[in-house]
Amino acid sequence: MSEPIFSREYLKRRSFIELSARDRAKCLFDSQTGRELAGPFDRIESPWLPLQNIVPQADDGCVVMKGIIGGQQAVVIAIAGAFQGGSIGEVSGAKFSSALDLACLDNEKGVRTNAVLLLETGGVRLQEANLGLAAVAEIISSIISLRKFAPVISVTAGTVGCFGGMALAAGVSSYVVMTREARLGLNGPEVIEQESGLEEFDASDRSLVWSITGGRQRYNQGLADVLVDDDAEQIAQTVRHFIARGIPTVHRSEQVDRYRSRVAALDTSRQWSPEELYAWANHKRKEQP
Amino acid sequence: MEQFEFSYPARRKVPKRSHVGVVGSGDLEVLLEPLEGSTASVCVRTSAGGFQKIWKAVLDRFFSRYDGAARVEINDAGATPGVVLLRLEQAVEASEK
């Protein structure tokens, strides 16, 4: 384990995790060029939550901003993890995929437009079941259309993490940026515990949960491209770096054989400790970069 | 979910609209918009049932000091009175900037 860091520099940083979804989005743009689309005063809220006696949010927990990042057009879509676990409903999902589709249209017209997704989400909003599922499918298909023209950069900073269908959205994006505090996984820890038992995964053991699904392990497994500190400026710099780098030669989700062979090589007949898994994935990464 | 409407007398125009907060556990969002005329109207939607008297007391106190003509919408996820007052003051500060 690495030594805890209590340096002056670390304490002086501006935490990205502590920012609201709106402020997270805003801080990525060049000199305050970000302007919000379909914001809270447009009141495009969920029509389904009040019917189930749940208080809605004026922006349905999805912030869309357009502006300039690293000198290029970009759209940033930020999910508010604090509202309904950052879940994707009909409205937040429609805002998400429409923003990506508009970016795609701009690219087709020759205006290069990049996308940055700030994912703090448990996936589909269960109260809007089928509509939420349809929305996530649309988001994934919109990302796949857009990534041919410009990079789609997913950032998961924490501490909600990125789970369910939205982990697939992160999986098909061009680049994935994580902090140590972030988590990424298809099934959330509670779901695994409920389905496979406490012996399989103890969801109440936060240290175990983070050491399996957290940024350090996921980066080492090659599921994230970079591991960053919880630092707004460092994250903004990383986003600019990937926008400048452009579309990757091969997307992660196109490397089916590479990732399938890794899963096949893992002996799942026994329990692996997080450290063993880390060492195994590290070895695999060096063997097959 | 419960919903209440309140209104208070107002004496001055509000410079601009503002939005603060999030509908997350123990928190709330406030949307404040300038209104024509000499009233402030408040709409509260809250996840915690049975607290109408407390909402009235909190808002009475707030509007004993605030005299802007505004439409205030509150979406609440079980915030305490202290948090409600802080968010209202934050919304006012943002609308005066």
Side-chain angles (χ1 to χ4, degrees), chain A residues 22 41 43 45 57-58 82, chain B residues 18-19 23-24 29 33 45 73:
Chain A
R22 192 159 281 106
F41 288 99
R43 292 186 175 77
E45 60 179 39
Q57 183 163 299
Chain B
S18 65
H19 170 259
V23 193
E29 77 172 339
E33 279 179 292
R45 288 188 289 187
E73 285 180 31

Side-chain angles (χ1 to χ4, degrees), chain B residues 39-55:
Chain B
T39 29
S41 73
V42 185
C43 172
V44 176
R45 288 188 289 187
T46 175
S47 61
F51 290 94
Q52 187 164 8
K53 272 189 194 160
I54 292 177
W55 276 103

Side-chain angles (χ1 to χ4, degrees), chain A residues 77 88 92-98 100-101 104 117 119 121 123-124 131-148 152 154 162-174 186 251 253:
Chain A
I77 304 163
I88 303 294
S92 58
K95 282 171 74 171
F96 203 124
S97 58
S98 306
L100 293 172
D101 292 344
C104 205
L117 318 177
L119 304 176
T121 164
V124 171
L131 296 169
L133 281 171
V136 171
E138 277 172 21
I139 290 167
I140 291 170
S141 119
S142 300
I143 294 171
I144 291 173
S145 304
L146 180 57
R147 75 181 194 183
K148 292 193 278 263
V152 177
S154 283
C162 179
F163 288 98
M166 293 308 284
L168 302 177
V172 297
S173 55
S174 314
L186 193 54
H251 276 91
S253 66

Side-chain angles (χ1 to χ4, degrees), chain A residues 164-242:
Chain A
M166 293 308 284
L168 302 177
V172 297
S173 55
S174 314
Y175 302 105
V176 176
V177 179
M178 288 184 83
T179 66
R180 275 163 213 272
E181 292 83 354
R183 294 177 292 158
L184 179 67
L186 193 54
N187 287 329
E190 281 84 3
V191 177
I192 300 173
E193 186 189 305
Q194 188 180 316
E195 294 303 314
S196 306
L198 196 64
E199 306 75 32
E200 178 71 22
F201 207 48
D202 180 357
S204 69
D205 184 346
R206 292 167 75 83
S207 159
L208 172 72
V209 168
W210 259 266
S211 61
I212 294 286
T213 62
R216 181 175 172 267
Q217 184 80 268
R218 291 315 194 199
Y219 168 67
N220 185 54
Q221 289 171 333
L223 296 173
D225 296 273
V226 63
L227 191 62
V228 293
D229 287 332
D230 169 29
D231 177 329
E233 185 42 44
Q234 196 186 337
I235 290 173
Q237 247 174 40
T238 307
V239 165
R240 290 195 292 272
H241 163 79
F242 283 123

Side-chain angles (χ1 to χ4, degrees), chain A residues 49-56, chain B residues 1-4 44-49 75-76:
Chain A
L49 293 178
L51 295 175
Q52 296 167 73
N53 270 319
I54 297 167
V55 179
Chain B
M1 183 177 81
E2 287 185 11
Q3 191 163 340
F4 321 117
V44 176
R45 288 188 289 187
T46 175
S47 61
N75 293 321
D76 168 62

